Amino acid sequence: LVLFVALSGQAFSSTIAVGGCTTLTHFATIQLAVNAVPAGSTVKVCPGTYPEQVLITRNLTLVGIGPTASVVTVPAGGLGKNGGDLAAFPVLDVAAQILVQNAAVTISHFTVDGAGNGLDGCGGVNLLGIYYENSSGTITDSVVRNQITPINVGCGLGFGIYVASNTGTPAVAISNNSVRNYGKNGILATGVGPNIPGPNVTVKGNTVVGLGATTQIAGNGIQLSLLATGTITSNFVSDNVYINPPNCASSNNCWGSSGILLYASSGVIVTSNTVETSQLGIVPITDPNYGSGNGTIIKSNHIGGTQNYDAIDLCSNSNVVMSNVIYGSAQDAIHFDDSCGGTGSNNTVTSNTINEACAGILTGTGTSGNTNVSNTFMNVANTRLVGSSR
């Protein structure tokens, strides 16, 4: 009797469906299904188009089933505001197509399409495909596309996959997704600022393709920022190029897009990625106001065809750059950069293969303690160049 009383008050997990392609209990929309199940349940979504914004606030698995796509699209009338961007200062509104708040959620085999979102690119609302807010879990085997707002210079903050936290260090695995046609970032994991740890992410096996050359905004393929930590491995990242406005140097408004950007996030491991046709390849940055970008391991990556700037730009200290293949750099293959928050010092650069660059290694005048040995140079104007000019 005691056992019966204890169990009778519990809600047991279940498996239900969206759409009529199974014999399971089913609902017409994803949101109705999510609302109907207790924590720990699985929601299977039949192939089809679902014009809705989905809010998930309990632990569950959301999976598209069938040989064709389960597609979350924009509702009639466009996307509405449904949350806030934790990492924006001040906090901006967001319009997220799938928003996960304070939960552990697995999302797999979905397409999330932001086309026709109806947002004004300068309206102060960030467009997000999948947004994990103070949440953990897995995002895998999915497509996130067309997170872009009207092309207005300096606006259009569209993000494909966005993971943010301001409490704890939630772990999120982001794997084997296709992310393309985003305004600002393909995949972003971020904390909120100094002394507050951000999420810990594993970003693996994704294909992330930007807009190509654009005047819209300096976007990045994969970015960890503001004390987010984790690993970035075996991804393909391409086509992140920002066309700076005329006379940007005189107005101090020159920016660059990166394939992989680590901004005030230290100790990140970046291995076995292919980064092609981006303005900069891989860039760890220390910001004295927001945090260290030191201690990055950049190993066994293939970086090619960088536009305008460097393949690996070390704007931080004590990094290891090892066994990378770098070719076709518009400026330098590896830059010890003392022009930003870090001093470009105490880095170890070894066993890299560099083919075609203005400088194989460029050292700023304020750098110190760097070690570069056993690198192979081919078709470079200068194997090692001291200073900040080419």
Side-chain angles (χ1 to χ4, degrees):
L1 177 62
V2 173
L3 178 62
F4 173 76
V5 172
L7 293 178
S8 64
Q10 295 180 6
F12 293 98
S13 63
S14 62
T15 299
I16 62 171
V18 181
C21 68
T22 75
T23 59
L24 296 168
T25 300
H26 63 274
F27 295 81
T29 70
I30 299 171
Q31 191 65 64
L32 286 174
V34 167
N35 292 347
V37 294
S41 296
T42 296
V43 176
K44 295 185 175 183
V45 181
C46 293
T49 300
Y50 300 90
E52 54 182 307
Q53 288 178 262
V54 180
L55 173 64
I56 303 172
T57 58
R58 65 194 68 175
N59 302 350
L60 57 79
T61 295
L62 186 67
V63 56
I65 58 175
T68 55
S70 304
V71 187
V72 176
T73 60
V74 173
L79 295 177
K81 302 174 185 177
N82 61 351
D85 183 346
L86 296 181
F89 309 105
V91 172
L92 293 174
D93 292 319
V94 301
Q97 293 187 265
I98 299 179
L99 172 58
V100 178
Q101 290 181 322
N102 305 300
V105 173
T106 293
I107 296 174
S108 66
H109 296 87
F110 263 87
T111 296
V112 179
D113 193 334
N117 55 77
L119 297 174
D120 178 353
C122 288
V125 180
N126 285 349
L127 167 63
L128 312 180
I130 299 175
Y131 181 20
Y132 273 44
E133 180 186 279
N134 288 324
S135 297
S136 60
T138 299
I139 304 167
T140 188
D141 297 320
S142 293
V143 174
V144 186
R145 65 192 183 208
N146 298 324
Q147 270 64 48
I148 186 168
T149 54
I151 298 177
N152 299 305
V153 174
C155 302
L157 290 183
F159 301 83
I161 296 173
Y162 195 130
V163 176
S165 68
N166 60 4
T167 179
T169 56
V172 181
I174 305 168
S175 64
N176 302 322
N177 302 288
S178 171
V179 183
R180 59 182 175 84
N181 202 35
Y182 44 85
K184 178 60 179 173
N185 289 98
I187 298 173
L188 172 64
T190 183
V192 298
N195 306 314
I196 301 175
N200 180 273
V201 294
T202 300
V203 183
K204 182 177 182 180
N206 303 281
T207 298
V208 184
V209 180
L211 296 174
T214 178
T215 59
Q216 179 175 353
I217 198 165
N220 306 293
I222 299 172
Q223 178 176 336
L224 271 60
S225 62
L226 302 179
L227 279 64
T229 59
T231 61
I232 302 172
T233 184
S234 301
N235 302 280
F236 176 86
V237 185
S238 71
D239 295 327
N240 295 277
V241 178
Y242 176 53
I243 300 175
N244 278 289
N247 304 315
C248 69
S250 61
S251 63
N252 197 30
N253 190 32
C254 292
W255 304 96
S257 291
S258 302
I260 298 175
L261 175 63
L262 312 169
Y263 183 81
S265 285
S266 62
V268 179
I269 299 173
V270 183
T271 60
S272 302
N273 301 282
T274 298
V275 181
E276 295 282 345
T277 322
S278 293
Q279 214 161 8
L280 297 111
I282 300 173
V283 186
I285 298 177
T286 288
D287 186 309
N289 296 314
Y290 291 107
S292 163
N294 298 343
T296 304
I297 296 175
I298 303 172
K299 182 179 180 182
S300 300
N301 301 283
H302 189 281
I303 308 168
T306 51
Q307 309 289 308
N308 305 112
Y309 301 122
D310 309 315
I312 299 176
D313 192 359
L314 301 175
C315 289
S316 58
N317 305 331
S318 303
N319 306 290
V320 175
V321 179
M322 181 179 182
S323 301
N324 300 283
V325 174
I326 303 170
Y327 76 95
S329 301
Q331 285 191 350
D332 316 302
I334 301 168
H335 184 187
F336 300 142
D337 196 343
D338 60 352
S339 66
C340 43
T343 60
S345 298
N346 300 314
N347 299 289
T348 299
V349 175
T350 184
S351 301
N352 301 283
T353 299
I354 297 167
N355 188 358
E356 190 184 8
C358 175
I361 297 175
L362 179 70
T363 68
T365 56
T367 63
S368 63
N370 292 302
T371 301
N372 50 91
V373 295
S374 302
N375 299 292
T376 300
F377 301 94
M378 298 169 288
N379 305 301
V380 299
N382 304 275
T383 57
R384 184 175 182 271
L385 187 63
V386 178
S388 298
S389 59
R390 289 86 180 166

